[in-house]
Amino acid sequence: MGGDYWLIANQRAELKLNSNTVTMSLTNTEKTIIVSIWAKIATHVDSIGVEALERLFASYPQTKTYFPHFDLHPDSAQLRSHGSKVANAIGDAVKNIDNIEKALAKLSELHAYILRVDPVNFKLLSHSFLVTIAAHYPAEFTAEAHAAWDKFLSIVSSVLTEKYR
C-alpha cells in the first residue's frame, strides 16, 4: 500500500528540473484542497500543533534530542508554545502557497545554521502533522486531500532543508 500511495502521489506531481534538483509544484486543485482544509485547522491551530508534536515524540523518540531544555510532558507550556509555532509556520506556508520559499526563509535559516536540526526530522514532523489532520478531519481527508497535503508538506520540508545544500 505505501509504495502504491507514493507512486500515485508522485504521478500527480508536476516536476520541474531546476539546477540539477527536482522540485514539485502544486496544481490549482491541490492548492484549493489545502486552503480549504487549512480553514478548518486554523480554528484549532494550537491544539493541532501540540498533538502533532506529541505524535512526533511518541512515534520518533529520537526527535526529543533537539528539545533537551523542554518539558515534553503532555500539555506542558513549552510543548503548547512550540506546537503553536509549528502549526502557525505551516499556516504561513498555506497563506503564501505560491511563494512558500519566501514565507519560510527565516525559519529555514534558523533550523539549518543555528539549531542544526537533522533534515530528516522535517519529514517525520510532516508525517505526524498529516496523521493528526487526518484523525481530526476524516470526512474531508479523502485520498485526493491526502495526496495534496502530502505533496504540500513535502514541499515545506524541502524548503526548510534547502539551506543545508
Side-chain angles (χ1 to χ4, degrees), residues 53-84:
L53 277 183
E54 289 173 344
R55 189 178 311 279
L56 173 73
F57 296 144
S59 300
Y60 309 102
Q62 71 274 19
T63 59
K64 293 179 185 180
T65 61
Y66 293 97
F67 302 92
H69 54 290
F70 270 34
D71 174 4
L72 296 178
H73 291 93
D75 207 37
S76 77
Q78 290 172 317
L79 195 59
R80 284 194 318 270
S81 174
H82 198 67
S84 178

Side-chain angles (χ1 to χ4, degrees), residues 17-129:
L17 291 176
N18 180 9
S19 303
N20 297 325
T21 62
V22 177
T23 58
M24 288 186 279
S25 62
L26 297 165
T27 67
N28 288 334
T29 300
E30 290 165 334
K31 290 176 186 179
T32 300
I33 290 168
I34 291 160
V35 169
S36 171
I37 292 177
W38 182 258
K40 295 175 186 288
I41 294 169
T43 61
H44 306 289
V45 70
D46 293 340
S47 62
I48 297 286
V50 171
E51 187 177 331
L53 277 183
E54 289 173 344
R55 189 178 311 279
L56 173 73
F57 296 144
S59 300
Y60 309 102
Q62 71 274 19
T63 59
K64 293 179 185 180
T65 61
Y66 293 97
F67 302 92
H69 54 290
F70 270 34
D71 174 4
L72 296 178
H73 291 93
D75 207 37
S76 77
Q78 290 172 317
L79 195 59
R80 284 194 318 270
S81 174
H82 198 67
S84 178
K85 287 178 187 176
V86 167
N88 281 303
I90 292 170
D92 289 343
V94 172
K95 290 173 197 159
N96 296 282
I97 203 160
D98 291 317
N99 197 352
I100 296 170
E101 295 84 2
K102 183 178 179 186
L104 299 180
K106 289 182 183 178
L107 201 56
S108 176
E109 289 178 13
L110 172 69
H111 284 81
Y113 301 135
I114 297 170
L115 301 175
R116 299 176 189 226
V117 174
D118 185 338
V120 73
N121 291 302
F122 297 113
K123 291 178 183 179
L124 301 177
L125 178 59
S126 291
H127 178 73
S128 297
F129 196 83

